[in-house]
Amino acid sequence: MSKIILTGIKPTGMPHLGNYIGAIQPALELTADSSVESYLFVADYHSLTTVQKAQDLSEMIYQVSAAWLACGLDPEKTIIYRQSDIPELFELNWILSCMTPKGLMNRGHSYKALVQANQQAGRKNLDSGINMGVYNYPILMSADILLFSADEVPVSEDQAQHLEITRDIALKFNHVFKTDLLKPPGTLVKTQLLPGLDGEKMSKSKNNHVPLFCSSKELKKIIMKIKTDSSAPSEPKNPEKSILFSMYKAFASKGNIEKLKQRYQQGIGWGEVKELLYVCLEDHLLEKRKVYESLMMDQKRIDAILNEGAKKAREKAKPLMQKIRRTIGIS
Ligand code: ADP
Ligand code: TRP
């Protein structure tokens, strides 16, 4: 049996450099092995927890799909689909909800972070502004993974807890129904975390991100705005403490990384580092950006690819869903 790789990206905006380094690139590298079976999807219903404007969500679904395709996803080899096109996921979501202890969701870090924010703001109602989608989020993510019996889920460390929860839910289901139908996902494929413009984890929600496919002009403008210290060009600098270096390291070749490291130690002006980073990113993204832009002009083509992917994904999902139904006594 071939190894199954699966990962999803929430359409909450155009993907950024962190999404590329942490999810898109590692997933595509894994799919390059012709013996693996791969599922890469747009987690559109997960976005609904925060994106509640129809036009925005619709546009972002295209942006994420076009980004996967522009970065090299081959729809002949990899199944690409919208989460919302697979009704079996939402059926499994309910079944898994009934297997999930409420306490497990109370410990979900995204939910806990919002409760903490309410606490810090001095609000009496600690659940203020938190919808049930946020609370149940990890269960739907478990359904995404378990319905396709994924072996490996390339995500970065911020998603590690969700994978733990997925394993717990799968084992609980198997225990309750004395079965091994649900496969707990194996290794967390750890990928590096890219810092954002402020040195914190790059994230759309923190607005510290560099969009993957902004124009070259905008890319340059964003890079030039990255804060640096006031050291003179001739002063030696520590690459490990530099946001610019972390970004460069994620995209440049080994040889060029080593060269820049030496330049840091000898002393280099921040303006020059910014220019090197810009050229490196532009080099990496130029061709992909062209493909992205042409796909965004042809949304019918994206729809056709996603519809075809959904068909294939449902064909894969149905047999397991039928077994699950029989196992729980619903036929
Ligand atoms: P965001 O935090 O911008 O909303 P998502 O939560 O949609 O990003 O993440 C999509 C994927 O990209 C996940 O697999 C996540 O682990 C990865 N990812 C997000 N931000 C980064 C980052 N700064 N560095 C590396 N990977 C990241
Ligand atoms: N929760 C993931 C994120 O915020 C997106 C996601 C949804 C996902 N379902 C998934 C990732 C299943 C991997 C597998 O980035």
Side-chain angles (χ1 to χ4, degrees), residues 218-275:
E218 201 184 334
L219 180 65
K220 190 160 201 170
K221 209 167 118 192
I222 295 174
I223 292 171
M224 293 305 156
K225 274 202 306 208
I226 297 179
K227 280 210 177 102
T228 49
D229 63 25
S230 55
S231 56
S234 57
E235 281 180 61
K237 297 170 173 60
N238 183 353
E240 302 312 323
K241 287 193 175 155
S242 158
I243 302 169
L244 292 168
F245 189 78
S246 303
M247 288 187 182
Y248 188 80
K249 208 164 87 175
F251 287 87
S253 67
K254 267 194 180 151
N256 282 341
I257 297 170
E258 208 36 55
K259 268 190 219 152
L260 186 61
K261 205 172 184 174
Q262 281 169 14
R263 294 286 316 277
Y264 264 69
Q265 280 148 7
Q266 291 158 0
I268 181 170
W270 291 124
E272 193 184 341
V273 180
K274 287 180 175 177
E275 187 60 30

Side-chain angles (χ1 to χ4, degrees), residues 101-293:
K102 178 171 173 284
L104 192 59
M105 293 301 98
N106 290 341
R107 294 195 291 276
H109 61 45
S110 309
Y111 168 65
K112 266 173 56 182
L114 294 176
V115 169
Q116 205 179 5
N118 278 332
Q119 214 159 17
Q120 277 164 359
R123 296 194 184 97
K124 262 201 192 139
N125 175 9
L126 295 184
D127 281 328
S128 173
I130 305 176
N131 62 52
M132 283 302 290
V134 171
Y135 191 73
N136 290 330
Y137 187 107
I139 306 180
L140 180 55
M141 182 156 163
S142 301
D144 292 332
I145 296 169
L146 298 172
L147 186 61
F148 294 98
S149 306
D151 294 292
E152 287 188 14
V153 183
V155 283
S156 50
E157 240 160 295
D158 57 341
Q159 297 295 315
Q161 190 197 34
H162 290 150
L163 286 197
E164 281 301 325
I165 291 174
T166 304
R167 275 191 276 277
D168 286 351
I169 296 178
L171 293 174
K172 180 74 190 293
F173 178 95
N174 289 348
H175 177 75
V176 170
F177 294 103
K178 300 189 177 39
T179 176
D180 57 2
L181 265 187
L182 299 188
K183 190 200 281 178
T187 43
L188 161 73
V189 181
K190 271 199 191 161
T191 57
Q192 69 185 111
L193 267 183
L194 197 73
L197 303 175
D198 56 359
E200 299 289 313
K201 177 202 159 216
M202 184 179 289
S203 174
K204 276 161 266 166
S205 56
K206 289 188 194 138
N207 211 9
N208 64 352
H209 60 288
V210 183
L212 190 53
F213 295 124
C214 56
S215 66
S216 338
K217 205 170 144 197
E218 201 184 334
L219 180 65
K220 190 160 201 170
K221 209 167 118 192
I222 295 174
I223 292 171
M224 293 305 156
K225 274 202 306 208
I226 297 179
K227 280 210 177 102
T228 49
D229 63 25
S230 55
S231 56
S234 57
E235 281 180 61
K237 297 170 173 60
N238 183 353
E240 302 312 323
K241 287 193 175 155
S242 158
I243 302 169
L244 292 168
F245 189 78
S246 303
M247 288 187 182
Y248 188 80
K249 208 164 87 175
F251 287 87
S253 67
K254 267 194 180 151
N256 282 341
I257 297 170
E258 208 36 55
K259 268 190 219 152
L260 186 61
K261 205 172 184 174
Q262 281 169 14
R263 294 286 316 277
Y264 264 69
Q265 280 148 7
Q266 291 158 0
I268 181 170
W270 291 124
E272 193 184 341
V273 180
K274 287 180 175 177
E275 187 60 30
L276 286 170
L277 175 61
Y278 166 71
V279 171
C280 166
L281 288 175
E282 189 57 15
D283 211 38
H284 202 95
L285 298 174
L286 184 66
E287 288 308 313
K288 296 182 174 68
R289 185 193 295 131
K290 281 187 197 156
V291 179
Y292 175 84
E293 282 168 357

